[in-house]
């Protein structure tokens, strides 16, 4: 006979859908659970089964070859109305299963044992179960193993849901921070246009570019949705495109980067460093309308560190730049301190170059593709 609806069906389904696990792809970590359960219990079939409103869906299965079946023939839809663990030694002797086509047909399912998968609210969502074509009985170790494995399955479901919720919250924070910083940057631009003092305007414009650089970090995080790292190449290309709009006529920025993933704090420091270098190049490297090139390049080294270089082919600044104590140099020093690296700054008649070598958030596996 078909099982009755759970007495708290709407709440149960709400908890099930909140996991966002239905209709997802097969995954090795769950396939391994059902394989282990079948091996421990010595059964032909094992399933991670979730009871939906009109179907039972299998996150993982071994021995069945399907991903879902209707509730009308579901053994587990009866089991979620019972205690935490149900064992049916012979399905044809159980009034709930005696007329079930899956049990009556040849070869019929004659044995069933399942441990409930309960939500954090205590509601049954499905089972980790084992089935066989012959009547049988589990021993105490097999029953305990099935319960433990069911607990592990549910723990993984809950962890994924928690991480997903945290990720949504993080994206919202990044989005709001980005918008707030962009507002401040816009106000700085308005202030710069309103002042008649050239030095004040230049200082405000420098500050606006620094704020925009940090806003771009949060925008990259929000757009990526990954919550772990930022693709360095896309980040630098976007930063360079923005800085290109401020370039003197005839000055071009070029980028050449490998796909490397870095953390948000690293991205902020790198962005500030590039912003300071390019801002100074605009001011000093190309006087009297001189055309020029600013290049930014980066690659992942074999030891897992990233080599980053910035250079222009301008007139050079002279050796006094290395001993400068201006705000730009202080920002560059702070950025390098955060990256735990040294700044190698060189200047001469053929231009200025800056290079750093830092370890990424992900170490030797920092390539994104």
């Amino acid at each position: 006979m078909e099982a009755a609806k759970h007495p708290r069906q709407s709440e149960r389904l709400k908890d099930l859908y909140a996991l966002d696990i239905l209709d997802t792809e097969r995954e090795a970590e769950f396939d391994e659970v059902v394989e282990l359960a079948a091996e421990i219990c010595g059964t032909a079939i094992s399933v991670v089964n979730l009871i939906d409103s009109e179907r039972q869906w299998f996150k993982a299965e071994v021995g069945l070859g399907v991903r879902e079946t209707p509730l009308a023939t579901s053994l587990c839809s009866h089991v979620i109305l019972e205690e935490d663990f149900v064992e049916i030694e012979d399905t044809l002797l159980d009034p709930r299963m005696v007329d079930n086509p899956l049990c009556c047909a040849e070869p019929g399912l004659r044995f069933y044992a399942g441990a409930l998968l309960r939500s954090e609210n205590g509601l049954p969502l499905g089972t980790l179960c084992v089935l066989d074509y012959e009547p049988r009985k589990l021993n105490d170790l097999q029953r305990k193993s099935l319960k433990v494995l069911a607990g592990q399955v549910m723990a993984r479901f809950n962890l994924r849901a928690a991480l997903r919720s945290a990720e949504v919250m993080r994206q919202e924070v990044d989005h709001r921070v980005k918008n707030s910083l962009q507002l401040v940057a816009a106000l700085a631009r308005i202030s710069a246009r309103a002042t008649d003092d050239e030095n004040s305007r230049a200082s405000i414009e420098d500050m606006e570019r620094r704020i925009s650089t940090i806003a771009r970090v949060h925008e990259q995080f929000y757009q990526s949705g990954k919550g772990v790292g930022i693709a360095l190449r896309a980040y630098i290309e976007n930063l360079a495109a923005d800085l290109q709009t401020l370039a003197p006529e005839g000055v071009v920025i070029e980028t050449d980067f490998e796909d490397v993933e870095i953390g948000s704090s690293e991205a902020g420091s790198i962005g500030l460093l590039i912003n300071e270098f390019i801002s100074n190049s605009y001011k000093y490297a190309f006087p009297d309308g001189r055309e020029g090139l600013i290049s930014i390049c980066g690659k992942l080294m074999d030891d897992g560190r990233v080599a980053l270089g910035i250079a222009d082919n301008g007139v050079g600044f002279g050796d006094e730049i290395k001993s400068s104590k201006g705000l730009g140099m202080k920002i560059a020093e702070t950025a390098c301190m955060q990256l735990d690296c040294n700044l190698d700054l060189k200047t001469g008649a053929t231009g200025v170059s800056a290079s750093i070598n830092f370890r990424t958030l992900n170490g030797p596996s920092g390539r994104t593709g």
Side-chain angles (χ1 to χ4, degrees):
M1 63 180 180
E2 186 171 350
K5 300 288 187 184
H6 191 275
R8 297 171 63 186
Q9 177 78 336
S10 60
E11 297 173 72
R12 190 188 70 79
L13 290 176
K14 182 179 179 181
D15 284 359
L16 173 61
Y17 298 152
L19 292 176
D20 198 22
I21 198 73
L22 293 174
D23 298 312
T24 54
E25 297 295 326
R26 294 192 68 142
E27 298 175 73
E29 62 180 313
F30 296 104
D31 288 341
E32 290 169 355
V33 169
V34 294
E35 290 169 3
L36 181 59
E39 184 174 349
I40 290 173
C41 297
T43 58
I45 300 169
S46 180
V47 176
V48 172
N49 174 64
L50 297 171
I51 304 299
D52 200 353
S53 59
E54 301 294 336
R55 60 171 178 162
Q56 60 177 357
W57 181 81
F58 309 134
K59 175 57 182 174
E61 59 80 23
V62 60
L64 278 183
V66 297
R67 295 299 302 278
E68 66 177 67
T69 60
L71 285 185
T73 58
S74 169
L75 281 65
C76 291
S77 61
H78 291 277
V79 171
I80 66 166
L81 302 173
E82 304 290 338
E83 299 299 324
D84 284 350
F85 187 86
V86 172
E87 182 175 353
I88 303 172
E89 297 178 17
D90 189 341
T91 59
L92 296 185
L93 300 179
D94 189 299
R96 298 167 297 180
M97 317 294 179
V98 68
D99 61 348
N100 190 312
L102 296 181
C103 301
C104 299
E106 289 294 336
L109 298 174
R110 298 291 300 278
F111 171 77
Y112 175 94
L116 284 187
L117 302 175
R118 287 192 182 275
S119 73
E120 291 185 326
N121 293 321
L123 295 171
L125 307 182
T127 67
L128 169 63
C129 61
V130 292
L131 305 99
D132 213 343
Y133 298 107
E134 297 291 337
R136 61 186 307 127
K137 184 176 182 179
L138 299 182
N139 60 40
D140 289 342
L141 177 59
Q142 291 169 327
R143 295 186 190 99
K144 181 178 180 179
S145 298
L146 206 56
K147 294 175 185 178
V148 170
L149 289 173
Q152 291 299 308
V153 168
M154 204 62 234
R156 295 183 186 191
F157 284 166
N158 288 332
L159 177 60
R160 290 182 175 206
L163 291 173
R164 188 165 52 251
S165 177
E167 171 59 16
V168 170
M169 184 178 295
R170 183 203 60 77
Q171 281 192 290
E172 179 62 21
V173 169
D174 280 324
H175 185 57
R176 294 190 181 193
V177 170
K178 178 206 71 172
N179 288 345
S180 297
L181 290 171
Q182 287 179 337
L183 176 60
V184 174
L187 292 174
R189 284 193 295 274
I190 294 172
S191 297
R193 297 190 191 107
T195 183
D196 294 327
D197 184 83
E198 290 297 326
N199 291 330
S200 296
R201 181 184 297 112
S203 297
I204 295 171
E205 288 175 346
D206 283 347
M207 188 60 63
E208 184 272 327
R209 283 193 291 270
R210 289 163 185 147
I211 294 170
S212 296
T213 296
I214 301 302
R216 196 169 294 105
V217 174
H218 289 278
E219 182 177 21
Q220 289 280 339
F221 257 158
Y222 176 72
Q223 291 177 345
S224 72
K226 294 170 65 177
V228 175
I230 288 177
L232 181 59
R233 181 168 67 183
Y235 172 63
I236 297 299
E237 287 175 351
N238 290 335
L239 177 61
D242 287 349
L243 291 172
Q244 181 67 66
T245 64
L246 305 173
E249 186 175 355
V251 176
V252 177
I253 302 174
E254 292 184 350
T255 63
D256 181 15
F257 272 84
E258 290 186 354
D259 282 334
V260 180
E261 191 172 87
I262 59 175
S264 60
S265 61
E266 295 165 346
S269 298
I270 291 167
L272 287 173
L273 188 62
I274 291 174
N275 181 76
E276 292 305 318
F277 185 96
I278 291 179
S279 295
N280 279 301
S281 291
Y282 287 170
K283 290 178 183 177
Y284 307 114
F286 309 107
D288 304 321
R290 175 172 172 163
E291 296 183 351
L293 174 68
I294 300 173
S295 61
I296 315 171
C297 60
K299 64 181 298 185
L300 186 65
M301 310 300 288
D302 291 338
D303 63 358
R305 299 180 72 86
V306 173
L308 172 69
I310 321 165
D312 67 46
N313 62 352
V315 297
F317 296 163
D319 291 337
E320 66 274 9
I321 187 174
K322 293 185 179 182
S323 59
S324 171
K325 296 300 180 183
L327 179 60
M329 281 302 298
K330 290 179 179 177
I331 290 175
E333 291 171 357
T334 301
C336 289
M337 186 181 302
Q338 292 174 337
L339 292 167
D340 192 22
C341 68
N342 295 317
L343 176 64
D344 184 10
L345 189 63
K346 297 178 180 178
T347 182
T350 58
V352 176
S353 67
S355 60
I356 59 174
N357 188 295
F358 66 95
R359 184 167 296 282
T360 68
L361 174 71
N362 299 311
S365 59
R367 282 188 171 89
T368 62

